[in-house]
Amino acid sequence: MSNNSASNSSLALAQKAVKQLRLEASVRRIKVSQASAELKNFCLQNANKDPLLMGVPSSDNPFRPPKSCVLL
Amino acid sequence: MAAEKAEMDALKKECDALRTQIEAARKAANDGSMSAAAGGVASVGRVQLKLRKNLKGHLAKIYAMHWSADSRSMVSASQDGKLLVWDTFTGNKLVAVPLKSAWVMSVDFAPSGNLVASGGLDNICTVYNIKAASPKTLRELDAHTGYLSCCRFLSDSEILTASGDTTCCLWDLETGKQKIIFTNHIGDCMSLALSPDMNYFISGACDSLAKLWDVREGACKQTFSGHTSDINAIAFFPSGNAVITGSDDCSCKMYDLRADQEVLDYTDSSLNAGVTSLALSNSGRLIFAGYDDFNCHIWDSLKGEKVGVLSGHDNRVSCTGVPEDGMGVCTGSWDSFLKLWN
């Protein structure tokens, strides 16, 4: 009985693997050249909204303790 | 018996044929390279960020950190048995959450800022309400049969977890029950990341594979291979069309989801340490990768070149995070400190 169920579960696993691979094989792929161009364009178009890339001005730096005196 | 063996053989043959078919289809789509596309792009030059804050408070190794959606608060987890919520502008500690189990491996902040979640070797994902007078345990999500390596809130009512039991899980926080179990990895799941539109998530595991899942369907849509060891860290590129992974094989890789393949590899012969964590700058141009060599190395995501380094920790960098407003990067280390850079 256990031998039977063991081989049944191996069979079930193999069937599952085939089903999964069929799904992954059916993916519609775009060309790497197009994908790369779009990733590049995204970076370039958003560069000016990227503080770590552009640099954070001292006056606007939330992590930097303010140097000027504050009038209370 | 013979009939079953025949069926097994047929299924194995079909698996092999399908794998060959997938490789061929990927090759057919591989008509260029990211390097070629990025050829004309100006270099970012040397990226030199300064240390702005050194957050002291934990008494043991820090294993995880996560920014709040407000880009100001941040939660960190240490094996000293505490979660600490910090105000990163002042460096003050806002909340301390004592953990039932000190062996924490992951922490997350809910988008609302009301809840934090953590988990580790206890196999449980515990959710805390940190807006109460004192931190209150809201839920203990207990069903994984292996350690909790990663947890990510979708909202105050749903959370995704990744586990050493090789599965990921979507939980309903109102009931505390599992909604969907994502099975397909054959190694411990180490990390997960939600897509910007929250319809998909990607997982990285010790089987050296990254898998893309549909959050609602529960199905594994795509599998990405290439790494030769455990994938410890994973993140979506901000456009949602690519994924970056970091591995014990000392490399990071970029996989494009629509081309269904690896498009760039971030390796350096002088870097012989595993990647523990990674985070991207807001445009996706810079990759901040934490390594076992005590540093966080900065990569130009388009050109595949190392462009900077954040040095200062005295032990492995275990976690890295960039807040939503992209104003800085936080590194956490086994040296018990968190550092803020920009």
Side-chain angles (χ1 to χ4, degrees):
Chain A
M1 223 14 227
S2 60
N3 209 18
N4 209 9
S5 59
S7 54
N8 276 348
S9 74
S10 313
L11 210 55
L13 279 173
Q15 283 162 345
K16 206 178 161 210
V18 166
K19 195 174 169 205
Q20 180 61 33
L21 283 169
R22 277 192 194 141
L23 205 142
E24 292 182 20
S26 68
V27 165
R28 269 181 59 239
R29 297 169 184 84
I30 67 170
K31 294 270 194 265
V32 169
S33 56
Q34 183 195 338
S36 309
E38 293 186 22
L39 289 170
K40 176 196 79 175
N41 288 335
F42 185 91
C43 282
L44 297 177
Q45 282 157 17
N46 289 284
N48 58 1
K49 291 180 226 151
D50 187 339
L52 287 168
L53 198 58
M54 297 282 100
V56 179
S58 315
S59 51
D60 273 339
N61 195 338
F63 305 121
R64 197 184 182 155
K67 290 234 165 107
S68 55
C69 294
V70 177
L71 286 171
L72 294 162
Chain B
M1 278 298 282
E4 274 168 20
K5 187 177 185 307
E7 196 180 342
M8 273 301 277
D9 287 342
L11 288 170
K12 263 196 191 139
K13 232 179 152 185
E14 196 176 351
C15 274
D16 289 338
L18 285 164
R19 287 202 179 95
T20 306
Q21 188 189 320
I22 291 170
E23 280 323 299
R26 283 175 172 162
K27 210 168 170 207
N30 195 5
D31 66 334
S33 68
M34 177 57 95
S35 319
V41 176
S43 160
V44 296
R46 191 102 197 114
V47 174
Q48 286 171 315
L49 303 184
K50 292 202 171 72
L51 176 66
R52 302 298 180 187
K53 288 233 164 25
N54 190 33
L55 303 176
K56 300 180 208 206
H58 281 299
L59 304 171
K61 294 176 175 169
I62 290 171
Y63 272 79
M65 60 77 48
H66 209 259
W67 284 94
S68 165
D70 69 6
S71 299
R72 178 168 180 163
S73 298
M74 178 262 287
V75 64
S76 58
S78 163
Q79 293 202 346
D80 63 4
K82 287 212 170 30
L83 299 184
L84 289 176
V85 180
W86 307 81
D87 174 344
T88 59
F89 289 10
T90 59
N92 292 338
K93 299 170 203 42
L94 300 172
V95 184
V97 182
L99 300 172
K100 255 191 194 171
S101 163
W103 308 114
V104 64
M105 294 174 70
S106 179
V107 76
D108 194 40
F109 227 127
S112 66
N114 298 328
L115 310 173
V116 294
S118 70
L121 295 182
D122 57 352
N123 300 1
I124 301 172
C125 179
T126 308
V127 179
Y128 304 89
N129 177 347
I130 54 159
K131 293 294 169 140
S134 69
K136 193 168 174 282
T137 300
L138 192 73
R139 285 269 173 258
E140 282 180 339
L141 307 173
D142 188 0
H144 279 300
T145 54
Y147 58 84
L148 199 92
S149 53
C150 195
C151 49
R152 289 288 170 256
F153 282 99
L154 276 81
S155 66
D156 276 6
S157 51
E158 284 181 311
I159 193 168
L160 274 167
T161 55
S163 169
D165 66 12
T166 77
T167 71
C168 293
C169 184
L170 177 68
W171 304 79
D172 180 335
L173 288 175
E174 326 243 315
T175 61
K177 300 263 191 294
Q178 293 174 298
K179 264 185 171 170
I180 303 178
I181 304 173
F182 303 86
T183 54
N184 205 251
H185 276 296
I186 54 172
D188 302 12
C189 290
M190 297 303 291
S191 181
L192 72 90
L194 255 179
S195 65
D197 66 9
M198 306 228 287
N199 292 325
Y200 297 97
F201 76 92
I202 192 106
S203 60
C206 290
D207 56 14
S208 70
L209 303 172
K211 286 180 182 284
L212 180 75
W213 309 84
D214 182 308
V215 174
R216 302 298 156 196
E217 270 179 40
C220 168
K221 294 296 202 182
Q222 288 169 256
T223 298
F224 302 95
S225 58
H227 278 297
T228 52
S229 187
D230 306 353
I231 292 177
N232 297 317
I234 201 157
F236 263 93
F237 186 81
S239 68
N241 290 329
V243 145
I244 316 280
T245 53
S247 165
D248 270 348
D249 67 11
C250 311
S251 77
C252 293
K253 287 180 189 292
M254 180 192 280
Y255 294 96
D256 187 281
L257 300 181
R258 295 175 308 157
D260 186 43
Q261 57 191 281
E262 177 183 330
V263 294
L264 203 42
D265 179 58
Y266 308 91
T267 44
D268 186 301
S269 51
S270 66
L271 267 179
N272 288 317
V275 180
T276 61
S277 52
L278 58 88
L280 269 57
S281 70
N282 276 10
S283 67
R285 187 68 193 269
L286 301 176
I287 300 171
F288 296 92
Y291 287 74
D292 286 343
D293 72 351
F294 306 0
N295 296 316
C296 177
H297 293 277
I298 311 173
W299 294 88
D300 176 336
S301 69
L302 296 182
K303 288 181 173 285
E305 296 163 350
K306 221 154 65 72
V307 293
V309 64
L310 304 176
S311 289
H313 282 293
D314 294 323
N315 206 325
R316 174 186 291 196
V317 172
S318 55
C319 48
T320 312
V322 170
E324 267 175 43
D325 67 2
M327 290 294 273
V329 52
C330 179
T331 52
S333 166
W334 279 9
D335 69 4
S336 81
F337 300 114
L338 295 141
K339 291 180 190 288
L340 294 171
W341 317 74
N342 66 11

